[in-house]
Amino acid sequence: MMQAIIQRVTRSALSLLLISLLAFCIIASMPADPVMIAIRAWNLAATDETVAALRTQWGLDLPLWERYLVWLKGFVSGDWGRSFRTGEPVLTEFLRRLPVSLALGLSGLTLAILLAIPFGFFAALKPKGVIDRASRFLSIFVQTMPGFWLALILLWFFGVYFKILRPFSGSYSAYILPIIIISLHSLGVLTRVYRRDLLHTREQAYFTTALAKGLSIRQACWHHGHRSALYAMLSAVRSEAGWVIGSTATMEILFNLPGISQFLVQSISARDHMVLIAYVMVVALWMMVLNAIILTILSRLDPRAA
């Protein structure tokens, strides 16, 4: 067990190192010079002295490999550099905005998981029934319609027409609609995965035996099919986690929520290298941590998967 944990941690660390190297090289190779962008934005004179001073201050005068090593050492020690655009430490900027992004992403994914279990269960109980057809429609609809389009429709519907929600009020109610929209895509996918595995269980001989012993279809599905269906659904969550990141970014921009994705979009045009590389690393860490949590839960459901 301990050896498996050490191997997993080692693989994760090497993966993060490789991701950081590739991301750093790609971001450093982006067209346009951040120094010149800053000079135009700040209305400074583009003299050789000004350009040289900024490049030295931001470490852009160093060779690429040396800049990477300096950044890597600082990142590991908690110094993520300073934003070219705001002048503030990147870690401080991210810590200020990270709770918003985590609240949106984790709440949306958790809501999808909690709702997918009952929806998938009752859809499997009555194939081609109302809930089964509704879950199929939801799965197809959310995968064919762009998330921002759906968000705009619901924003008008609940915020303008019925005035049930106040999405730009700055209060906690402003997060309700984004969380619901984030959860919809995952809800449709996870519901169908749970349903499919439960229907597969109903075809097994031991399920027929359970019915012969006097259990109802509902009882037999829950006692003999829920565990394996939950395992299949949680396995699908690992792929949905990546989609949640993109959906969270869309909601932050559309609803003007101060998360790290909104900060990223504002930093792209300024070629704010420190912010861009930090965002890549945060996303990589999010995926690895969530993957580790799901693998731990899966090993509890089925020790053979450990």
Side-chain angles (χ1 to χ4, degrees):
M1 180 65 178
M2 183 58 65
Q3 184 178 0
I5 294 176
I6 294 175
Q7 290 177 350
R8 188 174 299 171
V9 171
T10 303
R11 286 197 301 266
S12 298
L14 292 175
S15 298
L16 284 175
L17 184 63
L18 180 60
I19 290 171
S20 69
L21 178 59
L22 292 175
F24 194 92
C25 293
I26 292 173
I27 292 171
S29 302
M30 293 174 64
D33 188 349
V35 172
M36 300 308 298
I37 294 175
I39 287 176
R40 287 194 296 269
W42 299 339
N43 292 321
L44 298 176
T47 62
D48 294 340
E49 293 78 9
T50 303
V51 173
L54 287 176
R55 293 187 66 83
T56 302
Q57 180 182 348
W58 295 344
L60 298 176
D61 58 332
L62 300 175
L64 182 59
W65 65 268
E66 189 172 350
R67 286 163 52 190
Y68 172 73
L69 292 178
V70 171
W71 171 84
L72 182 62
K73 180 181 178 181
F75 185 84
V76 173
S77 62
D79 180 10
W80 292 11
R82 287 185 176 271
S83 169
F84 298 167
R85 188 171 58 87
T86 66
E88 295 293 327
V90 174
L91 182 58
T92 302
E93 296 278 13
F94 271 52
L95 291 178
R96 187 184 305 143
R97 294 168 170 80
L98 191 59
V100 174
S101 298
L102 286 179
L104 289 174
L106 288 177
S107 298
L109 191 58
T110 302
L111 179 63
I113 293 172
L114 293 178
L115 293 179
I117 294 176
F119 284 174
F121 185 81
F122 288 109
L125 282 184
K126 294 184 178 180
K128 298 184 180 181
V130 175
I131 297 180
D132 188 23
R133 293 178 184 273
S135 66
R136 183 184 295 112
F137 172 79
L138 176 63
S139 179
I140 296 173
F141 178 78
V142 296
Q143 291 187 64
T144 53
M145 294 298 172
F148 69 88
W149 178 87
L150 181 60
L152 288 172
I153 296 298
L154 295 180
L155 180 62
W156 176 85
F157 193 75
F158 291 106
V160 178
Y161 189 77
F162 285 107
K163 298 182 180 179
I164 299 175
L165 300 175
R166 299 176 60 191
F168 300 104
S169 62
S171 61
Y172 290 113
S173 63
Y175 292 83
I176 295 176
L177 193 55
I179 289 173
I180 292 175
I181 296 172
I182 291 172
S183 69
L184 283 179
H185 181 278
S186 298
L187 175 60
V189 173
L190 298 180
T191 297
R192 301 307 292 178
V193 171
Y194 188 96
R195 168 196 176 275
R196 181 192 61 197
D197 197 271
L198 207 56
L199 287 178
H200 178 71
T201 299
R202 292 185 60 173
E203 299 173 354
Q204 305 305 311
Y206 61 82
F207 188 86
T208 304
T209 302
L211 295 178
K213 290 181 178 180
L215 292 180
S216 65
I217 295 179
R218 179 177 300 183
Q219 291 173 328
C221 283
W222 183 256
H223 290 292
H224 296 281
H226 167 68
R227 194 179 185 91
S228 63
L230 181 62
Y231 186 97
M233 187 188 72
L234 290 178
S235 298
V237 169
R238 298 164 64 183
S239 61
E240 284 299 302
W243 187 92
V244 167
I245 295 172
S247 182
T248 300
T250 303
M251 296 305 106
E252 288 179 14
I253 298 167
L254 187 60
F255 289 88
N256 195 30
L257 298 173
I260 60 173
S261 296
Q262 185 193 67
F263 185 57
L264 171 74
V265 172
Q266 296 169 349
S267 302
I268 290 176
S269 59
R271 299 299 188 268
D272 202 337
H273 293 175
M274 296 296 101
V275 174
L276 302 183
I277 183 63
Y279 183 85
V280 172
M281 297 306 295
V282 167
V283 169
L285 285 169
W286 152 268
M287 295 295 294
M288 288 186 177
V289 170
L290 192 61
N291 186 62
I293 293 173
I294 294 175
L295 285 177
T296 302
I297 297 174
L298 293 179
S299 65
R300 296 283 184 177
L301 293 173
D302 186 359
R304 294 173 298 177

